[in-house]
Every structure is written in structure tokens, then in C-alpha cells.
Amino acid sequence: MNADAQVDQRHRVVVIGSGFGGLFACKHLRKADVDITLISKTSTHLFQPLLYQVATGILSVGEIAPATRIVLRKQKNVGVIMGDVHDVDLVNNTVTSRLLNQDTVTAFDSLIVATGAQQSYFGNDHFATYAPGMKTIDDALELRARILGSFEEAELATDQETRDRFMTFVVVGAGPTGVELAGQIAELADRTLEGSFRNIDPRDTRVILVEGADAVLKPMGPKLGMKAHKRLEKMGVEIQLNALVTDVDARGVTIKDGDGVRRIESACKVWSAGVQASELGKLLAEKSDGTEVDRAGRVIVEPDLTIKGHPNVFVVGDLMSVPGVPGQAQGAIQGGTYAAKAIKAELKGEKPAERKPFKYFDKGSMATVSRFNAVCQVGKLEFSGFIAWLAWLGLHLWYLIGFRSRFVTVLEWAVSFLGRHRGQMAATEQWVFARLALEALDSPEDARELAKQLGTENSSGNGKSVANTKAGPAA
């Protein structure tokens, strides 16, 4: 274990997480008399709202996930540490992170925790084996390989039942991510892949959007939800509302609705139905006397976004639970900025008790449905169609980091939306198997059973069985 032996005379700020909350907190402290240590388990700042475009071949990873060190290299009061934080000592004011087998202990005077959220399967974590979420770069690349791989499998299928299964895509959850992903899979099949195969017609693809509630984009209200609903149906997306997914396996999903229990045979599934806060929220609550977490694991913070009894520990972004603040980028940006301002005010002599409560300014919600079509809500103003789509483009370009990323993104959007081509259609077998192989390392028996269920045992091109490589399903 490596502890910092030097006593720094300046105020020490530790920021956990390199998402919107963590990055904007660091940037807002760039001129402050502090030393900042940013700790993140990934090396990049991920622009999560555009992950679905990576998954469907529109954008490359580099445009939405610049290296955090590069982003912050000109900010001399920031140091970056890569590692997964597994302990926070609120008595001695230290954070312990781990990279591979090495622990690093970092002392702090102020702490900003912005570790975000992950996909929630509502207690059915085994669903992730067959229906990845959309929260990380790995998720997006895996999903891209699954989508394109399904078309390749359909091209080789020798019977109609198998072909139909590989050409049926199920998206679980009709929130913004689910709507955007369903729309892009439909456009990928209808426009980009048209004429690319000889044994199948990609336009015969079924895209099914499954939602447990009674409306699409329900938080955005009935008017915009119905606009998105009708547009998706016009594109050929099948929408199934009031439908609860009770099981997911290699060959499809089981659904319970008003008609009883039924099956949808599908090789490629994606989960966008819920989120769960990182485990660090629960750890902070346990270490802090009186702090609680909500059902999603988010920390119920004080009015100044701190935890009880520790006015120097801020929780922001998707990890904080504040009434009226949605789990979106704006909430993280405003929370991170508020925490940075509070730290600067304290350095000038302001007491924690004098802080004004955090107030969230709602700048609205947006979701794209297809090219040239989006829905937008700003206060009481609701609009949709081409104008909303332009507003969506402009807002997302504004928050992309770096001129190069913005320039390349505009070019990629022009190619994809004005034409039929998508520039990021590469996919490898490793993208599908890597996560599952890591999960199977400790249980090769489970890997062999999984391969047996899929009928892929002893089927890899190099003569090795999938089970022997400790990999999981491509379906």
C-alpha cells in the first residue's frame, strides 16, 4: 500500500470519477489555490449520451471518449490516478484505490464523489449475459458486434426459424436510450445495410421495443411520448407497452403482460430499462452516521450535496439523490460545479453552515428518434421534428470535449444522416466474448455449460471449443 508521505500545504481536493460531474468540478477549480487528484477506474471522459451511436456504427469511440489526462493536461493543479476506489476513510480523510494488485492511498481535505451509475437488472443480474446495457465503451462495442454479428449469422442460416431469430432485435426499456437505439437499429437495417447481403434482406429485420410502463418516454409527457411512438412505428419498430421482461436467455426473452406469459425469439437483445448507483454510495452511507441511500443506491444528500456530519464530502451526479434532479448530464454538471464553488468559498472563509442549498436549473430533455426527427422539452415548451433534431445536434456538439471531436463528429453525422454510409462498421469477435470470458475465468464449468446451451461448443474457427476459451455467447 502506497501512502503519500508528503504534507501538502495547499488544500487537497480528491475527485472520484471522470464523468461530467468529476470533470466539470476539476475545470471549475482550475484557478483555485488547491491541489486536485482525479481518481477514475477508466482512462477516458465518456460522453455517455452518444454511446448508442458508437453501438450502431455512426461514431468512433475516440470522438466521445477523449483521454482524461489529455483533457486536463493544461490544468497544472490536477493529477490523474487510474484505479477503482474501494474504500473511503472519513475519519482519517483518505481514499484507497486499486489498480491491478496495487493499492494507492490518497489524502484529502475535500472530497467530490461522482462515480455515476450502472445498468440495473432489478435483481436479475444474469440477464446481462445475454442483454448488455449501454453504460460503458465496452457495452457499446460489444453491442455493435452483436448487432452486426446477428446479420452475419442470419446470412448463413439454413432454416427460416433460425434466420428470423437472428433478425429480431429486442430493446428493453423505452426511455431516451432505448428509443434512440431502437430507431438507429431500424435505420441501420433499412438504409446502411440494404443490398449488402445475398441470402437475406435486412429490411425484413424486426426491431421490438419493450416497455413495462404504459407509454414511450413517459417522463417527457404524453404529447412527446406519442410523437416518438408514432415515428418509431412509422419506421417499422414494434412497440410493446405494459410488458414486463421476466427472463432473458441466449435465444430470446420471456414477457409477461395482459395476455399472459409469452416468448420473443431473438438472438440480439439490449437492456436500457433502469440504472443502479455505484457501490460507493452504499459505502459512504455506511461510513457516515445517518446517511441513507434510496432504492437505486443513490445517496440521499444534504441540501449542500454533502453527507451527514461531513461537510467536506460532496456527492454529485447520478450518485446523488435530490428531488427533481434527473439522472442526466445536466444534473452532474451542475452538481460538480456547485461543489467546486462551495470549496472555493470555504477557502475564502465561508463556513459550511453558510452555504446556500443546491438548486437545479432544468434546461430540458431531448431524445432523437431517427435522422431529422427528435423530441424536445424545455420547461413548458414542447416541440418535435426537424427543429428539435437540430437543437439536439447543437446541444450535444456543445458539450463534446475538444475541437477535433466536434469537427469529426459533424463530418460523421453528415455522412450518416445525409447519405447511407456509416464509417464505424468494424466489429470483432473479441468484442462479444471479452466481457463474458472475464466473467467465466473463475468458473470454466459455467462457460462450458453456456457454450453447450448455445450449440457453440467445439465450433470456433481455430478448432478450440468456446468453452475452453472461457468465453460466452455471441447470441
Side-chain angles (χ1 to χ4, degrees), residues 22 29 35 66 68 92 131 140 151 184 207-208 215 248 265 267 278 297 309 320 328 353 388 393-395:
L29 290 168
D35 285 324
T68 308
N92 297 307
F151 285 107
Q184 284 306 315
V207 181
I208 304 173
V248 181
E265 298 297 317
S278 75
M320 70 179 183
Q328 298 176 351
L393 292 181
L395 181 67

Side-chain angles (χ1 to χ4, degrees), residues 4-10 12:
D4 189 359
Q6 296 181 346
V7 178
D8 198 325
Q9 298 302 311
R10 297 213 299 180
R12 298 163 299 180

Side-chain angles (χ1 to χ4, degrees), residues 168-370:
T168 299
F169 299 84
V170 175
V171 179
V172 182
T177 299
V179 167
E180 291 168 342
L181 191 56
Q184 284 306 315
I185 293 175
E187 290 195 337
L188 175 69
D190 288 345
R191 290 175 52 81
T192 305
L193 297 179
E194 181 186 4
S196 300
F197 295 89
R198 298 297 173 261
N199 297 325
I200 62 170
D201 185 348
R203 293 174 297 181
D204 294 334
T205 295
R206 289 183 68 196
V207 181
I208 304 173
L209 182 61
V210 179
E211 170 58 46
D214 60 358
V216 171
L217 296 176
K218 191 165 185 176
M220 297 184 71
K223 178 182 176 181
L224 294 181
M226 184 53 63
K227 291 277 189 181
H229 189 130
K230 291 181 178 179
R231 176 58 185 166
L232 287 171
E233 286 190 330
K234 187 175 181 180
M235 297 167 64
V237 176
E238 302 174 33
I239 301 174
Q240 301 184 9
L241 303 176
N242 297 308
L244 298 176
V245 174
T246 59
D247 195 21
V248 181
D249 56 40
R251 296 181 176 274
V253 299
T254 301
I255 291 176
K256 181 179 180 181
D257 57 16
D259 298 326
V261 178
R262 55 190 173 83
R263 284 276 298 176
I264 299 178
E265 298 297 317
S266 168
C268 186
K269 290 82 61 179
V270 59
W271 191 274
S272 63
V275 294
Q276 181 76 23
S278 75
E279 290 295 323
L280 209 54
K282 181 180 179 181
L283 175 65
L284 287 173
E286 292 174 348
K287 295 287 184 84
S288 167
D289 186 19
T291 300
E292 298 179 351
V293 296
D294 64 13
R295 292 177 59 184
R298 296 173 298 189
V299 179
I300 301 176
V301 294
E302 298 296 284
D304 62 352
L305 305 186
T306 62
I307 59 178
K308 291 183 182 296
H310 299 275
N312 63 329
V313 178
F314 299 86
V315 179
V316 304
D318 289 347
L319 192 61
M320 70 179 183
S321 177
V322 178
V325 181
Q328 298 176 351
Q330 273 303 318
I333 291 171
Q334 293 181 35
T337 301
Y338 172 89
K341 287 182 177 179
I343 292 171
K344 290 196 296 185
E346 185 175 350
L347 292 176
K348 295 178 180 178
E350 182 182 278
K351 303 290 186 183
E354 299 173 346
R355 292 173 185 162
K356 294 181 180 179
F358 170 72
K359 289 185 178 181
Y360 174 69
F361 177 65
D362 188 358
K363 295 184 178 181
S365 302
M366 295 180 174
T368 56
V369 185
S370 64

Side-chain angles (χ1 to χ4, degrees), residues 372-388:
F372 308 146
N373 190 286
V375 292
C376 182
Q377 180 185 57
V378 182
K380 295 183 179 180
L381 177 64
E382 297 180 345
F383 56 102
S384 61
F386 184 69
I387 298 300

